[in-house]
Amino acid sequence: MFSFFKRDPVKALRQKYDAKAEQAMLAQRKGDMRLFADLTAEAEELWQQLEKLQEKNN
């Protein structure tokens, strides 16, 4: 009934991915390669989840 109030899961996951990727970029700029690697791995996991969700919706 009120489906327009529901948040789009793809959009929410994309925002999380974008935030994580930006954190990784900032860590790389600071020279913290270990943190960069960890954040990049987390961003990759989010990206895989995002792709699966997009395939499911299409």
Side-chain angles (χ1 to χ4, degrees):
M1 181 170 169
F2 291 99
S3 63
F4 57 89
F5 286 126
K6 293 182 182 177
R7 287 189 45 95
D8 183 17
V10 173
K11 185 177 178 181
L13 198 56
R14 179 64 187 224
Q15 288 176 343
K16 287 181 184 180
Y17 169 78
D18 289 341
K20 195 64 70 171
E22 185 175 357
Q23 289 174 352
M25 182 224 11
L26 293 174
Q28 184 182 28
R29 284 187 178 175
K30 290 181 182 179
D32 191 351
M33 290 296 121
R34 184 175 302 257
L35 180 60
F36 168 71
D38 292 340
L39 292 172
T40 302
E42 291 176 21
E44 280 294 319
E45 290 175 17
L46 289 172
W47 185 258
Q48 290 173 357
Q49 292 174 6
L50 182 65
E51 286 181 335
K52 287 180 185 177
L53 192 59
Q54 287 177 338
E55 287 177 6
K56 184 180 176 183
N57 287 340
N58 290 336

